[in-house]
Amino acid sequence: MSDRKTIVILGIFAADTAYKAKRLPHIAETLIGSGFSLGPGGKGSNQAIAAAKAGGQVTFISRVGNDPFGDMALAAYAAAGVKANVMRMDGVSTGAAFIFVNEDNGDNAIIVAPGAAGLIGIEDVDANRAEIEAAAIFMTQLEQPIEAAIHGLTIAKKAGVTTIFNPAPAQVIPDNIYPLCDFIVPNEVEAAGIVGHPVDTEEQAVRAAETLLQRGAKTAIITLGGRGSLYRTAGHSEFIPAVAAGKVIDTTGAGDAFLGGFAAALAEGRAPIDAVRFASVTAGIAVTRPGTAPAMPARAEIEALLRSA
């Protein structure tokens, strides 16, 4: 990556509306919850804020509406030090997400309505082509249209930029996307959906990762929740344990914290396996706090726990 340092992330912003309760309600049932919060979210946006707080130099490409949620997005980027290459749109609402958080163990379930970010297209990527081509890292996911993700990965790959693809939310992925991925990083549920078999054991995780490599990805990293993560590339496979930083409060932003920390560590020249360890610590801190973007830890916190772990 020579002297390149910038991380460019394509993705969506969504205002997170999070509700705590013991369980999800059944159809036609109303439950009394134990908590509510409103804050910045969206996978790409969370990853951008996580990477910036972890020490990365980050540019975020997206769209938001010209409304209060859009104001929230821009304020979050200013606070985190993210360069916001974000189009504001009239007549279209900013994205929003419903998040259920289990009050006992922090597990979550999410519904996302992308709003303005659902209109992200190839033209948004082309408008940022120069920054993508000059970056150290390009990262994207699947909350925005897949055509934009593929276009961004293609531009980055041709320019020699390291690419990270987070195939989330899970959906059918075309075969031509795998060779564009220096790193493909699904969680265990997404990996199972992609490869067509469960990823409940270490053996199944290794088999799933190998399938991703056979389809063309250079390196597969499968995050496994509290079990840690699997790193697999040609000739090397390693499980990296999760890092406990305290009581788990909310796991909603764990994957995004992991990816943001991973991108920040890679961009500064750490070896990939060391970047996974850095990412594990980043996620380990994030789950001890409520919310997604607001839970992302600062660089000093990550370094302190990394030394002790």
Side-chain angles (χ1 to χ4, degrees):
M1 289 182 284
S2 65
D3 59 349
R4 298 178 179 184
K5 298 293 183 185
T6 305
I7 302 161
V8 176
I9 299 176
L10 170 70
I12 82 161
F13 171 87
D16 283 348
T17 64
Y19 304 79
K20 275 193 171 184
K22 289 192 176 296
R23 60 174 176 81
L24 283 165
H26 301 300
I27 298 299
E29 179 188 26
T30 300
L31 293 178
I32 300 298
S34 60
F36 170 80
S37 64
L38 171 66
K43 282 188 179 297
S45 180
N46 291 338
Q47 291 164 15
I49 290 172
K53 293 184 72 174
Q57 180 182 334
V58 182
T59 297
F60 182 56
I61 303 166
S62 192
R63 297 191 186 198
V64 298
N66 194 10
D67 55 23
F69 284 171
D71 295 339
M72 177 195 294
L74 297 183
Y77 304 141
V82 173
K83 181 182 178 185
N85 289 6
V86 175
M87 179 189 296
R88 299 205 72 172
M89 303 183 69
D90 291 322
V92 183
S93 63
T94 300
F98 159 82
I99 303 173
F100 159 74
V101 179
N102 185 300
E103 65 187 27
D104 294 324
N105 59 21
D107 286 347
N108 64 85
I110 304 170
I111 300 172
V112 177
L119 300 174
I120 292 172
I122 289 173
E123 63 273 21
D124 297 277
V125 178
D126 283 336
N128 292 276
R129 179 185 290 264
E131 290 202 53
I132 294 171
E133 292 176 335
I137 306 288
F138 175 77
M139 181 160 64
T140 191
Q141 330 73 27
L142 290 175
E143 286 186 332
Q144 79 288 321
I146 194 169
E147 293 80 8
I150 292 173
H151 193 54
L153 290 166
T154 301
I155 289 172
K157 193 69 173 176
K158 287 181 178 178
V161 176
T162 298
T163 57
I164 303 172
F165 176 51
N166 173 216
Q171 59 180 270
V172 176
I173 300 171
D175 289 341
N176 65 345
I177 205 166
Y178 295 99
L180 300 175
C181 304
D182 290 313
F183 298 93
I184 185 167
V185 191
N187 66 23
E188 56 198 317
V189 175
E190 293 148 3
I194 292 169
V195 302
H197 65 74
V199 183
D200 298 329
T201 67
E202 291 189 359
E203 181 181 31
Q204 290 171 337
V206 170
R207 185 153 57 97
E210 185 57 33
T211 298
L212 299 177
L213 298 189
Q214 290 171 358
R215 292 180 183 177
K218 185 176 178 182
T219 302
I221 301 168
I222 301 178
T223 57
L224 304 167
R227 294 182 290 156
S229 57
L230 167 68
Y231 173 90
R232 186 168 179 86
T233 192
H236 182 70
S237 182
E238 185 172 343
F239 282 91
I240 295 88
V243 178
K247 178 179 170 57
V248 174
I249 300 296
D250 186 350
T251 62
T252 311
D256 296 333
F258 183 97
L259 281 149
F262 180 66
L266 272 187
E268 64 185 38
R270 297 193 188 215
I273 196 69
D274 291 331
V276 173
R277 295 188 180 99
F278 186 95
S280 297
V281 169
T282 307
I285 298 171
V287 299
T288 65
R289 302 165 178 173
T292 53
M296 302 307 172
R299 176 60 177 253
E301 297 176 283
I302 299 168
E303 292 285 8
L305 183 56
L306 193 61
R307 286 192 297 269
S308 65

